[in-house]
Amino acid sequence: MPLITKVKFKLCLHNVVVSAAFFAVAVSVSAADTNAPTIRELADGYVPSSECRECHEKNFASWHHTFHRTMTQAATREAVLGDFTTNNTLTYLGVKAEMVRTTNGFAMRLQDQQGKMQQLAIDRVVGSHRIQQYLTRDGTRYVRLPVAYDLMQHRWMHLNGSFFHPDGDDYRQPVVEWNSNCIFCHNVKAQPGYDWTQKTWNSRVAELGIACGACHGPGQEHIAAARSPESQAHWAAAKSGEADTHIINPAHLDSDRAMQICGHCHGQRVPEPIDRIREIMSAGDPYDAGKNLREFFKPVQRDTKVGPESFASRFWADGSPRLSAYEYQGLLRSKCLVAGEPGKRITCITCHSMHGGDVNGQITEANRGNIACLSCHQQFSVPAALVAHTQHQSGPGAPLCYDCHMPRIVYGVMSPLRTHDISIPRPQDTVTFGKPNACNQCHLDQSVNWAIGQTRRLWPKEFSAAKRSEDSQFDSPEGARALFAGDALVRGLTAAALNPTAAGRMKPAFATPLLLEALRDNYPIVRYFAANSLEQINPQLPKPDYLGTTAGRALAIARWKATLDPSSQTNAAALANQLGLKKVNVDISVGE
């Protein structure tokens, strides 16, 4: 069962799919191609990050600890984080994958139900934070293999378990080409180098991973000038940000241009104009840090279509992003940005620090609290004013500004993440747009109609026009309604929110029966979050395997049910059956 000898080539830009038919181009790259891709260490004035270390030791050290640096790496012993020696097998859809060490490095062996074996060398790795994916070289291209390592759960997983697709029989579904896709945002200055005549690749990047050049642009002139005593004297005499140092410092740019540097990768995009895709696939990404991103690309929005490809499923019905890698689009919608003075608005680095803070999110400890918001909204810095504003008590356990205005209603790789569409919590949005609301993210044991009533009571001036829904599903506790009546993304986020460590801190008596019902879901990603939440509720009981067999899960579920009041499980099953009639599934290919 060959897995990678033929992979259909789609014109992509950070998973922005442009159908080949749209350009009347049919491209297929086969394993017969022989020229190996190369990495150019110096491209268009870019320099390796190691060149920056001589003068910027502290910044180099802080960057070196980040997940940006390790986004794409050669498959060395230091870079490979998966277990290739002990718990190194995974059987899924009848295919056994065995991850092994070889004389030359690492490999993945795949054996189908007929016993046919294929061994694929692992040449590169992508990711080091939540999951690590593996690339094999096939002629002039790199191909992502279907099995990845879950770094949070310390286990092997098939990538079907990371996307919003139901159980199926296509083992090869997550196999994609790196050269036309991942290369653009997981490296510096991507140059796919596609030859449209020969149908081969000569892909090059300035540096693997997200390195200095991604944020600071080409550094060759800067380094040459920095080694000149005359330049050093001139820079020392100039005020901060005023000297021409031949390098981009995002902190010294106007806010809109600075935000575009992050938006280049954290805002999925299409070429502008769209037919520029052919040039980009050949000559490379034209954008450099500091340039106007809008001259080359435009952000994908809910109404974006390229040929038959629609991006609507990646956004809530009101246009707010519901996947990560769209943080730029979310911030562009936010009143916090829109109401600001052009060029002096909030930016990504208002909250995030590229050279400081926890590497998980790159946020300082101070900015994990309310201080980031209070720097502008100073009227709420007095505790009494904050209590009057939120109608919640202050102190330990109180909701943060983020919890209400940036709730975790976005899916990232195997994790619920905060939206960057900073907005006022409106429970009615769940009725109107199918979008989870911040109030019920904590109060999952209450209904949406209850939350609508509470907003009318607590903030009558702002919510006097809010009306209860006449649809009876919104009278059910939102933890049950969203878990059984929502689409797969909503169901997955809800299963995660039922985790006792999440913001709502749901009681096990409420959450456990619902989560056990969620393990019957036919979407692996929903079962993933349900199983993880159950593990937090009671780590002494067996954790159901979200990618395992139905029979295997049933045995684990039976152990859990034995600890419950039978009536609670009966009620949960009834809710699942009743609310499940409202369910409409929407499959989503996650582009990250």
Side-chain angles (χ1 to χ4, degrees), residues 52 146 407:
C52 308

Side-chain angles (χ1 to χ4, degrees), residues 514-563:
L514 300 178
L515 292 167
L516 290 174
E517 284 298 315
L519 287 170
R520 295 167 48 197
D521 203 291
N522 66 328
Y523 279 68
I525 191 64
V526 178
R527 301 195 300 264
Y528 171 83
F529 286 119
N532 290 345
S533 291
L534 285 170
E535 183 181 36
Q536 289 296 317
I537 289 172
N538 190 344
Q540 303 305 316
L541 287 172
K543 181 180 180 180
D545 186 348
Y546 77 107
L547 287 177
T549 63
T550 302
R553 276 194 301 277
L555 291 174
I557 290 170
R559 291 276 303 277
W560 279 85
K561 286 186 175 181
T563 68

Side-chain angles (χ1 to χ4, degrees), residues 221-267:
E221 284 189 47
H222 171 73
I223 287 177
R227 288 172 175 157
S228 162
E230 183 179 345
S231 295
Q232 292 177 16
H234 175 64
W235 295 352
K239 292 183 179 180
S240 176
E242 291 186 0
D244 182 6
T245 57
H246 307 285
I247 199 74
I248 296 298
N249 184 336
H252 295 160
L253 295 175
D254 76 68
S255 61
D256 296 352
R257 197 63 66 88
M259 192 168 63
Q260 289 178 353
I261 293 175
C262 303
H264 179 233
C265 289
H266 290 275

Side-chain angles (χ1 to χ4, degrees), residues 4 29-37 136-142 201:
I4 65 161
V29 183
S30 76
D33 301 319
T34 57
N35 295 322
T136 191
R137 194 169 67 196
D138 179 32
T140 63
R141 66 191 182 144
Y142 285 94
W201 299 94

Side-chain angles (χ1 to χ4, degrees), residues 316-589:
W316 301 109
D318 65 348
S320 180
R322 61 184 198 152
L323 295 178
S324 62
Y326 291 84
E327 290 80 9
Y328 181 57
Q329 284 92 326
L331 196 54
L332 288 176
R333 291 169 48 90
S334 302
K335 186 177 179 180
C336 286
L337 180 133
V338 174
E341 181 183 346
K344 298 181 180 179
R345 314 181 213 253
I346 64 169
T347 71
C348 307
I349 56 178
T350 302
C351 299
H352 296 273
S353 174
M354 295 300 97
H355 292 287
D358 187 344
V359 293
N360 293 295
Q362 297 192 239
I363 302 177
T364 64
E365 191 61 32
N367 274 358
R368 290 193 179 277
N370 289 336
I371 193 170
C373 301
L374 296 178
S375 63
C376 290
H377 302 278
Q378 296 176 12
Q379 68 271 34
F380 301 124
S381 59
V382 178
L386 185 62
V387 169
H389 171 65
T390 65
Q391 295 295 317
H392 288 72
Q393 292 300 312
S394 61
L400 298 170
C401 303
Y402 298 131
D403 294 327
C404 296
H405 300 287
M406 298 178 67
R408 295 183 185 277
I409 60 170
V410 165
Y411 173 79
V413 176
M414 317 300 284
S415 298
L417 303 176
R418 295 195 183 279
T419 179
H420 282 63
D421 181 357
I422 308 168
S423 60
I424 296 172
R426 293 185 177 89
Q428 202 158 13
D429 283 356
T430 302
V431 177
T432 308
F433 303 117
K435 175 182 176 182
N437 71 84
C439 302
N440 283 119
Q441 285 293 100
C442 285
H443 299 284
L444 285 162
D445 54 347
Q446 301 289 347
S447 70
V448 170
N449 276 336
W450 171 88
I452 291 172
Q454 292 298 307
T455 57
R456 288 171 56 91
R457 180 179 70 86
L458 296 170
W459 300 279
K461 181 179 179 181
E462 293 84 353
F463 292 99
S464 60
K467 295 182 179 179
R468 291 169 52 91
S469 172
E470 296 181 0
D471 188 335
S472 62
Q473 67 172 301
F474 296 106
D475 292 321
S476 296
E478 184 63 0
R481 189 209 68 83
L483 189 63
F484 303 130
D487 66 20
L489 192 147
V490 172
R491 301 199 303 273
L493 292 176
T494 306
L498 286 167
N499 190 312
T501 65
R505 297 177 177 84
M506 285 293 100
K507 294 180 179 179
F510 173 76
T512 303
L514 300 178
L515 292 167
L516 290 174
E517 284 298 315
L519 287 170
R520 295 167 48 197
D521 203 291
N522 66 328
Y523 279 68
I525 191 64
V526 178
R527 301 195 300 264
Y528 171 83
F529 286 119
N532 290 345
S533 291
L534 285 170
E535 183 181 36
Q536 289 296 317
I537 289 172
N538 190 344
Q540 303 305 316
L541 287 172
K543 181 180 180 180
D545 186 348
Y546 77 107
L547 287 177
T549 63
T550 302
R553 276 194 301 277
L555 291 174
I557 290 170
R559 291 276 303 277
W560 279 85
K561 286 186 175 181
T563 68
L564 299 178
D565 178 347
S567 64
S568 68
Q569 196 57 47
T570 300
N571 293 337
L575 280 171
N577 292 331
Q578 174 191 344
L579 293 167
L581 298 174
K582 300 279 188 177
K583 178 170 60 180
V584 177
N585 282 318
V586 178
D587 293 348
I588 309 170
S589 293

